[in-house]
Amino acid sequence: MIFWLLCHRRLATKSRLCHLGFLQNTTCHLCDKEENDNHIFFACEEYRKIWCAILNWLQIDHSPRAWDEEFIWIMNMGKGKGWRARLFKLAVTETVYGVWIHRNRGAFGQPSDYTHIIHEILDKIVYRGWTCKNLKTHIACLMVC
């Protein structure tokens, strides 16, 4: 659901809530820049570390860019029915959800270290992917590397 909201630019970010009249402050709690969906998922250095760590674990050499470019890249990488595309889609959805949870914890006064959320995301990818016979071997390989 969070990924769907992100794709449709409907996440309840501070910028969106301010636009709707619910908030006055639009600054990111980590870096004091405007918090919008692009900032949370791809521009803020703290959140960017999470994306880069997950991509690194997947052995994908990619540096996140602005949402419009990133969305096209994600759609292209997720095409197909092979194990790479399936694992990539799983990783993207878990990462979006994990970053959103990390953002909410910090925004509501329960900050956590970004390394903790990276481990949570990887655990969920492994857990959900392990049930798929096709992904199990590849996930095991990534865990050893």
Side-chain angles (χ1 to χ4, degrees):
M1 184 67 180
I2 299 300
F3 187 67
W4 185 89
L5 289 169
L6 175 62
C7 289
H8 289 84
R9 311 298 292 263
R10 297 289 186 246
L11 274 175
T13 62
K14 288 183 178 181
S15 179
R16 181 161 166 74
L17 291 173
C18 184
H19 176 74
L20 295 172
F22 293 110
L23 283 181
Q24 303 296 322
N25 179 8
T26 64
T27 57
C28 173
H29 69 279
L30 295 173
C31 67
D32 293 329
K33 294 182 182 173
E34 182 182 1
E35 183 197 270
N36 56 35
D37 46 11
N38 182 61
H39 177 76
I40 292 171
F41 292 98
F42 306 108
C44 183
E45 286 303 315
E46 185 77 13
Y47 297 121
R48 192 179 182 86
K49 292 174 188 176
I50 298 169
W51 277 105
C52 290
I54 301 302
L55 291 173
N56 188 40
W57 183 78
L58 291 170
Q59 299 176 351
I60 296 174
D61 185 27
H62 176 75
S63 181
R65 296 179 286 258
W67 170 244
D68 295 332
E69 294 175 62
E70 207 61 22
F71 182 73
I72 293 168
W73 180 78
I74 289 170
M75 291 297 122
N76 287 332
M77 287 291 291
K79 285 183 181 174
K81 295 182 181 179
W83 70 268
R84 285 186 194 274
R86 290 182 72 187
L87 185 57
F88 179 75
K89 289 184 270 192
L90 174 62
V92 167
T93 54
E94 289 298 340
T95 304
V96 165
Y97 182 73
V99 167
W100 186 247
I101 292 298
H102 181 64
R103 175 263 181 203
N104 284 341
R105 285 179 187 159
F108 294 106
Q110 301 171 344
S112 61
D113 183 31
Y114 77 91
T115 56
H116 177 73
I117 199 70
I118 291 168
H119 292 295
E120 282 183 15
I121 293 167
L122 291 175
D123 286 347
K124 288 180 183 178
I125 293 168
V126 170
Y127 176 76
R128 293 186 202 290
W130 206 256
T131 60
C132 179
K133 184 181 175 183
N134 191 21
L135 293 181
K136 196 176 199 177
T137 308
H138 303 291
I139 290 173
C141 220
L142 289 171
M143 291 172 63
V144 173
C145 296

